Each structure stands twice: as C-alpha cells, then as structure tokens.
Amino acid sequence: MPTALITGPASGIGAAFARRLAADGFSLVLVSRDERRLSESADQLKLRYGVATEVLPADLGTEEGLARVESRVADGVDLLVNNAGFGHPGRFTEVPVQDETRMLKVHCEAVLRLTLAALPGMRERDRGAIVNVASVAAFFTHGTYSASKAWVVNFSESAANEVGNPRIKIMALCPGFVRTEFHQRASMDTTGIPDFLWLKADDVVREAMRDLALGKRVSVPDLRYKAIVALGKYVPRSVQSRVSASLGR
C-alpha cells in the first residue's frame, strides 16, 4: 500500500487531499501542529476509508518540528503533499518581521527540505510524486505571501527539471480563492471577493490529481483562474497590484 504524507491536513485543501488519497487506497501520514484536530481527522479517515493513518504533530515554523517531519519523510513516502501555509492580514510593512520569516520557513524552507528528504527514496524506487501547494497569487504581486508562493512555483519547476525522471513527478498546485478556514484564521476581509471566484477544495484536489497524472509541473485548477493567469501576463504590474488590493489580501 503506497504512503502519502500531507502537511496541514486538518482542514481545507489538505483535508480534501487526505480524503481523496484515502479513497485511492493510500496509507496516510498527517502532519499538523494542532494535535487534537489531527487525531480527530485521522480517526475519521480510518473509520470511513479503512486506511492506516499515522499522526505526526509538528510545527513546521520551528526547527524542531521541521526536523521531525524531515526525518519521517526520509524514511520513505510515495507521495508528499506540502500544503501547510498561512497568511497575514496586514501589509508586509505592518507585520512583525518574525512573523514574516516564520511564513518563509513554512512556505519555502519546509518545502525545500521536505522535497529534498523525499527524493532519495523516490529515486531508489524509481517512482514517486510531490505536490507543492502554491497559489494563483504566485503570478501576481501582493506582499510576502505572493512572493513566497512564486518561489514555490519556480522551485517546483526547477526541481522537476533537475530530477529529469518522468516517473518522479513534482508539481506546483496554484489554486485561486478556496472555501477554507485560511482567510478566517488570518483575519482577512473577504467581502470584496466576488462569489464566482470561490472554488471548492474537493474540486481543486480532483483537478490537481488529474494534472499530476498527466505530468504537469504547474496546475492551475478551474478555467476561470487559467484565464486570469493567462491575462495577467499582459497586464502591467501596477494594475495587478491595484486589482489584488481591491479584492483583499
């Protein structure tokens, strides 16, 4: 039975990945700093899908937590989903620098280190997959969040190119606005976001898994967001910034 390790699986896109992979017959290793919710999620998945679930409480924003997960990944996983992440409600100039560097540790350093930890075993088995959850924000300019997600996209494409093995797939997943707890946890105002821009987490994961099977290195779920990203390439950065600011962080 293949094993998938998912960071941030207690809600939103991470939880949708956990449901989908459990339904596909994967054993799960679930990583989150919220041990109570993690255990509840593991119990529900085990009861519903009958799969083995391993709980790994860890805070990827700390060296101790990241090292613990890094060690588990190095023990061997068939699919790694780097999904953990968060946002800040204010402009980056208004956010304490320690909070910004914590974001970079979770969004960038953790993705780098866990990817590197997973690759030796995947090379040895000559198969495996890594999904690094980024965001449509990666293609636009709006603070440290979008900058960190742009790094995830570039890194994922670069890593896939350097590995150079079609049986080891590395993909950046770039969803738009998704109905999750993400914005509420970050105290973000979402009232300016039109209803038609919201996606469902299960739909995002379904399209992501399809794109992964097709060998895509960047997945942008939903035609609406594919069009937004395509059009964004022709829009001046100054205009992009004004539009994203009007939609909220």
Side-chain angles (χ1 to χ4, degrees):
M1 181 179 291
T3 299
L5 185 145
I6 308 168
T7 65
S11 64
I13 293 173
F17 264 112
R19 291 191 296 270
R20 168 60 189 263
L21 296 174
D24 287 348
F26 279 79
S27 296
L28 301 178
V29 181
L30 307 177
V31 178
S32 173
R33 59 179 179 169
D34 189 334
E35 186 171 0
R36 180 187 61 81
R37 291 190 67 183
L38 197 59
S39 297
E40 290 175 355
S41 297
D43 290 342
Q44 291 169 4
L45 290 163
K46 190 173 183 178
L47 180 64
R48 181 174 179 181
Y49 299 102
V51 297
T53 57
E54 178 183 338
V55 171
L56 181 54
D59 184 349
L60 295 176
T62 66
E63 178 58 32
E64 179 186 4
L66 179 51
R68 187 181 307 129
V69 181
E70 191 176 29
S71 176
R72 176 59 185 86
V73 171
D75 285 341
V77 295
D78 298 283
L79 173 59
L80 168 64
V81 181
N82 283 311
N83 167 73
F86 59 93
H88 296 309
R91 298 177 183 275
F92 90 95
T93 52
E94 302 166 351
V95 176
V97 68
Q98 62 267 28
D99 293 343
E100 293 285 18
T101 54
R102 175 182 170 81
M103 174 182 284
L104 293 176
K105 191 172 187 71
V106 174
H107 290 185
C108 301
E109 184 180 345
V111 169
L112 169 66
R113 289 172 58 175
L114 298 186
T115 296
L116 288 172
L119 283 174
M122 291 181 179
R123 281 177 165 147
E124 184 178 338
R125 295 186 300 276
D126 196 33
R127 60 178 172 79
I130 299 170
V131 177
N132 296 323
V133 180
S135 169
V136 160
F139 305 104
F140 301 92
T141 54
H142 204 72
T144 307
Y145 182 83
S146 67
S148 68
K149 294 304 185 180
W151 183 91
V152 171
V153 173
N154 193 305
F155 168 73
S156 299
E157 291 186 280
S158 299
N161 185 58
E162 290 194 25
V163 169
N165 184 341
R167 290 177 294 278
I168 299 175
K169 300 173 181 178
I170 303 176
M171 184 183 79
L173 172 60
C174 303
F177 294 114
V178 184
R179 295 287 186 188
T180 69
E181 298 177 1
F182 176 87
H183 301 91
Q184 291 87 343
R185 289 202 309 268
S187 300
M188 295 179 182
D189 181 10
T190 59
T191 56
I193 302 172
D195 288 341
F196 74 89
L197 287 179
W198 288 101
L199 305 176
K200 295 179 180 178
D202 289 320
D203 294 339
V204 168
V205 170
R206 183 175 62 252
E207 193 158 345
M209 293 302 292
R210 183 197 66 191
D211 287 347
L212 185 67
L214 291 172
K216 292 188 178 182
R217 294 181 177 181
V218 178
S219 171
V220 180
D222 194 88
L223 287 174
R224 288 165 288 185
Y225 282 102
K226 285 180 171 64
I228 289 171
V229 171
L231 289 171
K233 296 177 181 178
Y234 303 100
V235 176
R237 291 289 194 180
S238 59
V239 176
Q240 291 180 16
S241 296
R242 289 198 295 273
V243 171
S244 59
S246 69
L247 288 174
R249 293 183 60 80

